[in-house]
């Protein structure tokens, strides 16, 4: 039996009166890449934000159903949101490094978590940047501002920053959509390496990217989960007509 990291049961989300997610039920396996695809506005980012309770920050949001992470419903009143966000890192479409040095971008999270020892922080910075496949490019300029990096480097730095606080799960919302093809393939390669240690959920509009990077794919349409399965079967042999129409480019 595959190891299930996240189990979602009948999860619905409303922005005010508007229902943006309709009774989503799915299982997300550990140490795999799950891709979320579907046309603009179908609820992919909304769903992703449910996994680390980022929607809590938006006014008038109400959520029903369960989001079980390692068997614990993260919407349970007794759950500590700060702890959840520590375990679940997020990378956004637009890279968002802090206006600080490369070193400080990585050391920031661990410092907040109480690590003060310089040797230990140095080690975390190196390990995180290595894992983010950017150590060799940056090791001689750790004190330079992160804002001087290229877009692709900034995005890998942000992935490194996420890894520095040792999450279990990494959420990525279109992490490569603002990048050139070479930076994109670096990110895709990185995703492939990271899944040995992390459970990854990636939103993408790029069908080839979903096909290349993910083990399983979920197709959303108008707030509904239409179909989910092994990436290979979703792309070669979808069960639902809507899925087929979308992946063959007939709409979306
Ligand atoms: N903060 C918000 N307040 C109200 N409605 C919202 C909010 N965020 C998203 N929505 C609505 O919820 C629906 C789903 O939006 P969401 O951003 O999750 O879609 P998406 O699949 O990520 O789209 P895209 O591919 O364009 O990023 C849309 O109809 C959107 O307008
Ligand atoms: Mg989105």
């Amino acid at each position: 039996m595959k190891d299930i990291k996240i189990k979602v049961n009948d999860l619905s989300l409303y922005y005010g009166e508007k229902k943006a997610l309709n009774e989503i039920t799915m299982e997300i396996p550990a140490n795999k890449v799950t891709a979320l695809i579907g046309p603009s506005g179908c609820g992919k980012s909304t769903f992703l934000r449910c996994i680390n309770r980022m929607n809590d920050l938006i006014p008038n949001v109400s959520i029903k159903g369960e989001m079980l992470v390692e068997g614990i419903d993260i919407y349970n009143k007794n759950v500590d949101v700060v702890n959840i966000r520590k375990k679940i890192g997020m990378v956004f479409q637009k890279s968002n490094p802090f206006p600080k040095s490369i070193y400080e971008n990585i050391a920031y999270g661990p410092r907040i978590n109480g690590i003060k020892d310089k040797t230990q922080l140095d080690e975390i910075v190196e390990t995180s940047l290595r894992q983010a496949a950017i150590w060799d490019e940056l090791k001689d300029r750790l004190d330079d501002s992160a804002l001087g990096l290229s877009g692709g480097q900034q995005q890998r730095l942000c992935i490194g920053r996420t890894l520095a606080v040792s999450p279990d799960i990494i959420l990525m919302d279109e992490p490569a959509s603002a990048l050139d093809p070479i930076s994109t393939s670096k990110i895709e390669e990185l995703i492939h390496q990271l899944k040995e240690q992390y459970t990854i959920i990636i939103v993408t509009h790029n069908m080839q990217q979903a096909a290349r990077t993910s083990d399983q794919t979920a197709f959303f349409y108008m707030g509904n989960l239409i179909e989910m399965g092994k990436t290979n079967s979703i792309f070669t042999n979808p069960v639902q007509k809507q899925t087929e129409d979308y992946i063959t480019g007939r709409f979306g």
Side-chain angles (χ1 to χ4, degrees):
M1 246 296 279
K2 63 183 174 183
D3 189 9
I4 300 300
K5 189 77 176 177
I6 301 173
K7 192 161 184 337
V8 188
N9 291 324
D10 285 328
L11 189 92
S12 296
L13 180 143
Y14 297 80
Y15 291 112
E17 302 277 283
K18 186 181 174 304
K19 197 172 193 179
L21 291 174
N22 186 26
E23 295 172 10
I24 307 294
T25 293
M26 70 159 82
E27 290 183 344
I28 297 177
N31 299 89
K32 301 269 184 228
V33 178
T34 298
L36 310 180
I37 63 168
S40 186
C42 69
K44 304 177 296 296
S45 298
T46 299
F47 180 74
L48 202 66
R49 288 196 298 265
C50 287
I51 304 174
N52 67 351
R53 289 191 49 175
M54 279 262 292
N55 289 317
D56 289 18
L57 309 172
I58 303 171
N60 299 320
V61 165
S62 58
I63 293 169
K64 281 190 198 139
E66 289 181 327
M67 173 69 73
L68 305 169
V69 177
E70 292 178 344
I72 293 166
D73 187 356
I74 62 164
Y75 286 96
N76 190 300
K77 298 254 179 313
N78 304 322
V79 166
D80 178 359
V81 188
V82 176
N83 261 335
I84 293 170
R85 299 216 183 100
K86 257 188 222 165
K87 286 179 61 172
I88 309 178
M90 188 153 183
V91 176
F92 300 87
Q93 174 173 17
K94 210 177 157 311
S95 57
N96 53 353
F98 305 132
K100 290 173 183 285
S101 71
I102 291 163
Y103 184 97
E104 286 305 322
N105 264 272
I106 305 292
Y108 184 84
R111 258 200 246 279
I112 293 214
N113 291 345
I115 299 174
K116 293 191 186 78
D117 182 60
K118 172 87 168 82
T119 319
Q120 207 182 342
L121 287 172
D122 287 355
E123 236 171 69
I124 293 174
V125 169
E126 176 167 348
T127 313
S128 308
L129 291 176
R130 278 193 193 282
Q131 276 199 307
I134 197 170
W135 171 251
D136 290 337
E137 280 163 75
L138 300 188
K139 62 175 189 288
D140 298 324
R141 49 191 288 204
L142 295 177
D143 294 330
D144 293 1
S145 168
L147 301 182
L149 299 174
S150 74
Q153 288 173 330
Q154 286 191 9
Q155 193 62 307
R156 278 178 290 144
L157 179 73
C158 290
I159 293 174
R161 184 177 65 187
T162 303
L163 301 178
V165 291
S166 314
D168 290 351
I169 299 169
I170 304 174
L171 310 176
M172 298 183 165
D173 198 346
E174 302 187 51
S177 65
L179 304 180
D180 67 276
I182 290 171
S183 304
T184 298
S185 70
K186 283 189 182 156
I187 301 276
E188 290 183 4
E189 215 171 284
L190 180 56
I191 291 171
H192 196 74
Q193 286 163 14
L194 291 175
K195 76 172 177 180
E196 294 202 348
Q197 277 190 56
Y198 305 93
T199 299
I200 299 174
I201 303 156
I202 177 174
V203 170
T204 179
H205 277 280
N206 180 327
M207 295 303 114
Q208 284 82 21
Q209 182 166 79
R212 281 193 298 261
T213 59
S214 71
D215 300 289
Q216 59 165 15
T217 296
F219 172 63
F220 282 77
Y221 184 60
M222 291 173 73
N224 293 295
L225 174 61
I226 303 296
E227 184 170 355
M228 179 164 189
K230 284 213 163 66
T231 295
N232 193 28
S233 8
I234 294 284
F235 281 98
T236 56
N237 199 10
V239 174
Q240 303 295 332
K241 183 160 187 315
Q242 284 159 316
T243 313
E244 183 177 354
D245 286 351
Y246 182 69
I247 60 173
T248 55
R250 274 195 275 270
F251 76 90

